[in-house]
């Protein structure tokens, strides 16, 4: 579970890529985001392969990041 500060940090990062403030970002931006978090972009490959859309919401993003963190712990 993320702390309030961690969620805010992830929201700030998400919003950098949500330039039009639609509440969605392009799925391909996930690899860039992972790089900016000093994480391996391959960690999101399986998620991207299973997507049915070209964009993800902030909730999707938080869930993905939580799943990645859970794998590490």
């Amino acid at each position: 579970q993320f702390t309030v500060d961690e969620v805010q940090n992830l929201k700030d990062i998400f919003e950098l890529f949500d330039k039009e403030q639609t509440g969605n970002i392009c799925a391909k931006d996930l690899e860039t985001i992972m790089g900016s978090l000093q994480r391996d972009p391959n960690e999101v490959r399986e998620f991207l392969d299973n997507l049915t859309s070209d964009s993800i919401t902030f909730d999707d993003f938080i869930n993905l990041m939580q799943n990645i963190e859970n794998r590490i712990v």
Side-chain angles (χ1 to χ4, degrees):
Q1 195 71 13
F2 291 120
T3 66
V4 172
D5 287 343
E6 289 170 328
V7 171
Q8 186 57 53
N9 187 33
L10 290 171
K11 187 164 183 62
D12 291 344
I13 292 167
F14 184 90
E15 288 174 350
L16 286 174
F17 290 87
D18 183 16
K19 292 175 178 54
E20 295 166 19
Q21 299 177 341
T22 61
N24 294 291
I25 59 170
C26 291
K28 63 183 172 59
D29 289 334
L30 280 175
E31 292 178 7
T32 305
I33 290 171
M34 294 303 285
S36 73
L37 293 172
Q38 300 172 342
R39 301 298 295 267
D40 183 355
N42 290 321
E43 290 182 283
V44 296
R45 285 254 198 271
E46 182 181 331
F47 176 79
L48 291 175
D49 290 345
N50 293 322
L51 273 183
T52 56
S53 168
D54 290 338
S55 65
I56 65 165
T57 65
F58 181 68
D59 287 340
D60 293 334
F61 177 62
I62 284 289
N63 289 334
L64 170 65
M65 297 308 293
Q66 189 66 60
N67 287 337
I68 289 170
E69 287 299 313
N70 289 343
R71 276 192 235 155
I72 292 171
V73 174

